Amino acid sequence: MSVSVKIRTNDVPEPDAILRRVADKGTEIVATSNEYPSLKFGFLNKALRGIEVNEEEDGLEVRVCSFSTKADYQLFVKAIDAIMQLTGAKAYLEDEVEVIAPLSAFNDEWIEREQEAGLDAARALVKHTGQHIVMYGLFCKFCLGAHLFESFDIPLSDDVDKEDVDSLFENLCSMQWDSVNWKDTSTRMVMPSSDGDVENGLTISAICIRNGQVDEFNYISEADLLGIIDMDDAIPPVFIPFREIWKILPNDAFERLDEMQFRRTEALTVDMVHDMMDAARHLQPDDLHYKPTYPGEGFDEKQCTFILMWNPDISSVSLEDHCFGVEYNLTEYFNWSVWDYDKARCGDRFFLVRVGKGNTGIVMSGVFDSQPYEGEDWSGKGRSVYYMDMLPNVILDPEEVPMLTTEALQEAMPSFDWTGGHSGRLLGNEDAIKLETLWQRFLAEHSKDADGITMSMIHTIR
């Protein structure tokens, strides 16, 4: 999303003339591109995304992107006014509506509305998809998502406090200007797809060891994959989806910049990076290009289906923990014990069934986003327990909205015990197809209940 104004003129001013006119009252401007066909610049220390002035056949276009700072919008207005003064030409909003006096048409109230609209659109998209959004700033990318909004007390489905919004924009703006002197982990490496299609290749952000040292970097920059590579030893490299990297970073050496990117705060040793590689092994899918089909979106013969059991009265996950995930989409910290772990792989699908007292039935569906791994027994009994991490696409509050109930499941698939037993049992293929059909029907019938507070249907972008 963006707002653009076209200035129709044959007398295109030199780029320097525009920059001087905008900055002629002592305002400091920083340009990242100062030549046509596209100028890009912003106010010093105040720009998040900056603005663009693009040369076109019939004149110049001035553009500001959504989710910009107020300073970006103010510069947008100043640039329009400056070019109109330099050329004496007329300006048109979205190439249609004539703008007579830009300083009046795009006043403080307009700027406030535009910024609010950009924030609301970003919140709605994160809420609807369950995914982060990557935007391009004046100097580096920044990522918006549920964790970032929650950390600034900005809900995804409710009114926001102006001071919290201002704090968010100040933080993102500071990150832009700090990053000018930072070195990131971006590379030109791309993981090619099996079909050879360049567009299907996966970009890689890499931490490398060479000549006995860890390559210097200041922050981990967003890409499709994080790669950890030892150039010195014959240790297999590891590549994991970028959304997983928070699981392997040592907390005392990194701090979160935004939803996906992390700043290094302490030195990294080779041993620390090797520990990160070991921790990442179970997060690497068998096929990095494979995109699993989520429950309710159809049946994929490549996937197995596992039924997880949850009794809030005895589980380490309380009903409150579960419902927090509904409202904030912060569900990726969930993992679950899987009885048939030796048959499960990253990308397989799961259904979480509430059992025990109260309303029972399916309360969550999704796919596993890790390989099985051994962990501490959640019950404290010292058993050997294997877990898998979870990436939900539907999660609901069993006390507030309808469910696909235990009774309905037992009636449709009587050969499986839906009332209890080991968690993480493999469901037979015939029953898995039946369950997918039932789940599709349930989601279609109850989509109106997905209010983002008691029920979230996360349409995952894949």
Side-chain angles (χ1 to χ4, degrees), residues 1-4 50-51 62-66 68 72-73 76 110:
M1 294 175 56
S2 62
V3 180
S4 67
I51 70 163
V62 185
R63 181 177 295 274
V64 62
C65 293
S66 64
S68 288
D72 289 330
Y73 285 110
F76 169 73
W110 178 86

Side-chain angles (χ1 to χ4, degrees), residues 147-181:
H147 281 286
L148 183 67
F149 286 129
E150 192 270 339
S151 67
F152 283 89
D153 295 322
I154 297 175
L156 297 180
S157 305
D158 206 347
D159 294 335
V160 297
D161 185 277
K162 183 178 180 299
E163 290 185 1
D164 293 331
V165 175
D166 290 343
S167 295
L168 171 63
F169 276 98
E170 288 172 7
N171 179 77
L172 294 173
C173 186
S174 295
M175 171 185 160
Q176 284 297 310
W177 291 91
D178 289 343
S179 72
V180 172
N181 298 313

